[in-house]
Amino acid sequence: MAVQQPGKFTVGDYLAERLAQVGIRHHFVVPGDYNLILLDKLQAHPDLKEVGCANELNCSLAAEGYARANGVSACVVTYSVGAISAFNGTGSAYAENLPLILISGSPNTNDPSQYHILHHTLGHPDYTYQYEMAKKITCCAVAVPRAIDAPRLIDRAIRAAILARKPCYIEIPTNLAGATCVRPGPISAVMDPITSDKNALEAAAKCAAEYLDGKLKPVILVGPKAGRAGAERELLQFAEAMGCAVALQPAAKGMFPEDHKQFVGIFWGQVSSDAADAMVHWADAMICVGAVFNDYSTVGWTAVPNIPLMTVDMDHVTFPGAHFSRVRMSEFLSHLATQVTFNDTTMIEYKRLKPDPPHVHTAEREEALSRKEISRQVQEMLTDKTSLFVDTGDSWFNGIQLKLPPGAKFEIEMQWGHIGWSIPAAFGYALRHPDRHTIVLVGDGSFQVTAQEVSQMVRYKVPITILLINNRGYTIEVEIHDGSYNKIKNWDYALLVQAFNSTDGHAKGLLANTAGELADAIKMAESHKEGPTLIECTIDQDDCSKELITWGHYVAAANARPPRNMSVQE
Ligand code: TPU
Ligand code: MG
């Protein structure tokens, strides 16, 4: 604990107070001499709990996961050696629309003018490079030059992040964290949202009515930004007012209830679930709510909708031939819900197209474990209290195919797609939601990137269940483009967990080679509350989903398109 000088309020205290006021209860840190005084100040705040991470990549991804659970998060690192690693998780927060506050300590304010060469830096006395780099991956970057500037700059960065649902960057020199500072003003100045422009909202609603006029088969397509905009309740209200089919993009899974009668599956081109692709192709009007069309979600550009779209984004609405800025998604959807005409034509068609429930084979106890059997058993684990994290690899496809019971939550990082994200992100998330059962589906290759963070789950006694699918390599890469680089060194994953336990930990590491062993391991995991349980599930190298093979084929084709500007001779 820092020794607090009574009556002295500092830059570090100011930052601590603002973090607590925006609702942060855990801040993720890796110490270094440029941030130690700052860490003392944050530690001294009664509402903030410091959470140490094994490295700055994991620290930033833990904060990324915490932002998913909490709406906003903070990651505190040291200069360059720390911050440049933390830029990766910050990039994830940018791509995934999460307000992560990246805070870095920095050199003493006297050093640049004295042309001092400092440790942890590039070795030349221009110390602006980190701030310049941070500008590219945040919505607002500030470097505090004097204590007097801290309140204004800290408030500016945090407000920008909260409004834009993007990360921000705050750089605090080592000799300013403990410098005297004024106390913060009302937090509403930082937190209060910008409401829609009334005229734009009305005009957009009118345009929506015109767009839908005369259309017979409207479909709603929900994308990941619907959840990030906090518009799930209004989306439901709007969808029920429309009465039409609702399909979700893969990264939006969980943002609309899957047991709802209007849910028609995950639209993911040729690897869609249920009959979502048929419904989307059948539609004559498509209301895209927070949709993101990238190469992954469109299966290498093979599934781009070919009808004019109405696009509802986080803070604007676009139609063929019209655009309305400063229209908030939630306000627009609830407003539109009162204006639209009920039209359930697509639901009548869906009843005809909906595939019958698949026949699911239950493996015998002694049968060698397979991907299908893992999915079957994971499906049975899901309850209203589950939060399921799926990492890059076949875990994406297996996760997307699962049926989420009401209340279950689903987390995927499909825009940034950093292998290993799920381990630190689930750790950060679970600290904020100790009431939920966090389950992670992760491949062996992904796990090896961020495995150290299992040791924090041990340290903080977080009962996450990790199902590590060991197919001995980078199968998703094999399906996109194979080579010897897709093979990896095998580990004894269950034993690794024992190493993290050392003498005082309570994690369990289990190995499942058969269906029966997996069932027993899951039972053990469900009753184990003193720390994480890692279950290594071994499957054959070639045992992957058909969706991965199809998707991999088209993504590879998109990657391989020849340059367009080739000369005729070539
Ligand atoms: O199911 P499976 O075997 O595909 O999953 P696993 O074992 O986790 O392998 C994932 C392989 C993979 C790589 C190497 N998926 N994407 N990549 C490329 C990649 C490299 N580095 C980072 C940080 N993220 C990536 N997505
Ligand atoms: Mg693998």
Side-chain angles (χ1 to χ4, degrees), residues 84-139:
I84 292 176
S85 289
F87 280 172
N88 204 322
T90 307
S92 179
Y94 198 103
E96 303 287 326
N97 298 295
L98 295 162
L100 179 159
I101 302 167
L102 175 64
I103 301 152
S104 175
S106 64
N108 183 296
T109 50
N110 299 300
D111 284 317
S113 61
Q114 292 176 290
Y115 297 94
H116 283 161
I117 303 288
L118 298 171
H119 68 286
H120 294 345
T121 76
L122 297 174
H124 60 69
D126 175 359
Y127 300 116
T128 59
Y129 62 90
Q130 183 171 303
Y131 164 61
E132 292 299 325
M133 291 164 83
K135 283 183 188 169
K136 295 280 185 191
I137 54 163
T138 60
C139 70

Side-chain angles (χ1 to χ4, degrees), residues 443-446 469-476 488:
D444 51 337
S446 298
I469 321 303
N470 187 359
N471 54 10
R472 303 284 180 110
Y474 297 149
T475 296
I476 190 171
I488 60 172

Side-chain angles (χ1 to χ4, degrees), residues 49-351:
K49 186 170 165 24
E50 178 186 271
V51 181
C53 292
N55 61 52
E56 287 82 355
L57 166 64
N58 289 357
C59 188
S60 60
L61 291 172
E64 198 263 24
Y66 189 84
R68 289 170 185 260
N70 190 56
V72 55
S73 67
C75 167
V76 194
V77 295
T78 194
Y79 197 65
S80 293
V81 288
I84 292 176
S85 289
F87 280 172
N88 204 322
T90 307
S92 179
Y94 198 103
E96 303 287 326
N97 298 295
L98 295 162
L100 179 159
I101 302 167
L102 175 64
I103 301 152
S104 175
S106 64
N108 183 296
T109 50
N110 299 300
D111 284 317
S113 61
Q114 292 176 290
Y115 297 94
H116 283 161
I117 303 288
L118 298 171
H119 68 286
H120 294 345
T121 76
L122 297 174
H124 60 69
D126 175 359
Y127 300 116
T128 59
Y129 62 90
Q130 183 171 303
Y131 164 61
E132 292 299 325
M133 291 164 83
K135 283 183 188 169
K136 295 280 185 191
I137 54 163
T138 60
C139 70
C140 179
V142 298
V144 176
R146 300 175 304 177
I148 196 174
D149 299 305
R152 178 174 57 86
L153 295 177
I154 290 171
D155 283 5
R156 181 199 294 169
I158 298 177
R159 174 155 181 78
I162 288 172
L163 286 186
R165 320 304 297 164
K166 296 282 184 196
C168 69
Y169 173 76
I170 301 173
E171 186 174 298
I172 301 185
T174 175
N175 59 334
L176 292 190
T180 304
C181 182
V182 295
R183 287 176 188 271
I187 190 59
S188 51
V190 176
M191 293 284 280
D192 276 8
I194 294 177
T195 51
S196 300
D197 176 72
K198 281 217 162 52
N199 296 330
L201 184 66
E202 285 300 335
K206 193 161 165 280
C207 209
E210 282 161 21
Y211 171 79
L212 290 169
D213 189 38
K215 298 288 193 315
L216 302 173
K217 303 176 286 182
V219 162
I220 298 170
L221 179 67
V222 181
K225 288 194 265 181
R228 296 292 191 265
E232 281 152 306
R233 200 167 44 88
E234 292 80 4
L235 169 67
L236 190 61
Q237 191 191 349
F238 170 65
E240 289 181 347
M242 288 286 297
C244 68
V246 179
L248 269 60
Q249 291 191 305
K253 187 176 171 77
M255 294 179 184
F256 186 84
E258 295 197 354
D259 63 324
H260 195 283
K261 66 175 193 305
Q262 285 168 257
F263 174 75
V264 301
I266 304 293
F267 173 65
W268 200 1
Q270 299 195 43
V271 297
S272 296
S273 73
D274 302 295
D277 48 342
M279 294 312 300
V280 166
H281 296 146
W282 195 65
D284 64 355
M286 190 140 57
I287 304 155
C288 299
V289 182
V292 175
F293 296 104
N294 64 16
D295 53 343
Y296 277 10
S297 70
T298 64
V299 192
W301 310 113
T302 63
V304 182
N306 60 2
I307 54 171
L309 306 175
M310 164 176 155
T311 304
V312 187
D313 214 312
M314 289 163 88
D315 63 357
H316 62 267
V317 181
T318 307
F319 302 88
H323 175 94
F324 302 94
S325 295
R326 224 183 105 191
V327 177
R328 276 165 59 93
M329 185 186 284
S330 53
E331 289 175 343
F332 179 68
L333 292 176
S334 61
H335 184 68
L336 208 52
T338 62
Q339 317 237 316
V340 290
T341 317
F342 187 86
N343 176 353
D344 65 355
T345 321
T346 47
M347 292 318 300
I348 295 165
E349 180 65 4
Y350 188 65
K351 284 206 183 80

